[in-house]
């Protein structure tokens, strides 16, 4: 069971980078390609995880720099759930995953790579992907493919 949900294994990689600032806040303020932004709501946004557990690994976060899960407003919580739901739609349309893991890593000990800005992980799953590689031949977990993944998911994003 442990192997099925372990995105924190990769998140630690980002720790050094994050010392320079919050990549989610940078994504809020920057352009879509640079921030790997797939969709924007009014109070939340969806970005691709730069170090994905699987292709299409999304992070849904409030636009506001909030470190406490309980600190989310009702509007933010609702929009994060709605964006996650739309993300499932875009992923289904684009990559046809066989399942999904959705989860929050709260605090460093729980694997949060960015404890200061809470975010919901949406991880598409395929049979046999436990070695980080989806079975789809044309989908590879490589950083240079992130821009293409972003483009495809943004294009398939369901309208609200
Ligand atoms: Zn932030």
């Amino acid at each position: 069971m442990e192997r099925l949900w372990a995105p924190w294994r990769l998140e630690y990689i980002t720790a050094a980078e994050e010392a320079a600032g919050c990549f989610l806040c940078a994504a809020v303020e920057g352009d879509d390609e640079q921030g790997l932004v797939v969709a924007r709501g009014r109070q939340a946004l969806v970005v691709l995880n730069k170090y994905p557990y699987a292709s299409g690994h999304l992070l849904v976060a409030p636009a506001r720099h909030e470190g406490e899960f309980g600190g989310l407003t009702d509007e933010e919580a609702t929009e994060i759930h709605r964006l996650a739901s739309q993300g499932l739609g875009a992923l289904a349309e684009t990559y046809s995953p066989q399942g999904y893991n959705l989860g929050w890593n709260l605090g460093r000990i729980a694997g949060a790579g960015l404890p200061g800005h809470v975010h919901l992980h949406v991880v598409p799953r395929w049979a046999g992907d436990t070695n980080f590689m989806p079975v789809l031949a044309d989908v590879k977990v490589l950083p240079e493919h992130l821009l293409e993944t972003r483009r495809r998911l943004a294009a398939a994003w369901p309208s609200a």
Side-chain angles (χ1 to χ4, degrees):
M1 288 304 281
E2 203 177 37
R3 291 194 303 174
L4 295 177
W5 174 238
W8 52 84
R9 287 177 184 169
L10 289 164
E11 281 201 272
Y12 76 91
I13 298 168
T14 65
E17 232 171 74
E18 282 148 17
C22 175
F23 74 88
L24 290 171
C25 286
V28 168
E29 287 153 26
D31 70 54
D32 287 355
E33 291 217 337
Q34 195 148 21
L36 295 173
V37 177
V38 177
R40 293 178 190 269
R42 287 211 296 231
Q43 298 181 57
L45 83 172
V46 183
V47 304
L48 279 182
N49 191 343
K50 228 166 141 185
Y51 304 98
Y53 179 67
S55 284
H57 180 165
L58 304 173
L59 305 176
V60 189
R64 195 168 55 86
H65 189 80
E66 171 60 61
E68 295 295 324
F69 181 77
L72 293 174
T73 66
D74 288 352
E75 291 74 20
E76 285 167 339
T78 300
E79 187 163 65
I80 286 166
H81 270 248
R82 200 179 70 237
L83 287 168
S85 171
Q86 291 173 348
L88 298 185
L91 286 164
E93 174 81 17
T94 309
Y95 295 111
S96 304
Q98 295 166 308
Y100 304 89
N101 289 110
L102 276 72
W104 300 82
N105 299 335
L106 303 174
R108 284 268 181 222
I109 193 69
L114 184 63
H117 195 146
V118 291
H119 50 280
L120 170 63
H121 290 262
V122 176
V123 184
R125 303 302 308 266
W126 293 264
D129 66 3
T130 51
N131 62 350
F132 304 95
M133 292 289 288
V135 292
L136 296 182
D138 64 333
V139 177
K140 299 210 168 45
V141 183
L142 294 172
E144 58 264 42
H145 291 185
L146 286 171
L147 283 175
E148 177 62 7
T149 304
R150 191 212 70 80
R151 191 195 61 73
R152 290 179 69 179
L153 288 173
W157 201 263
S159 44

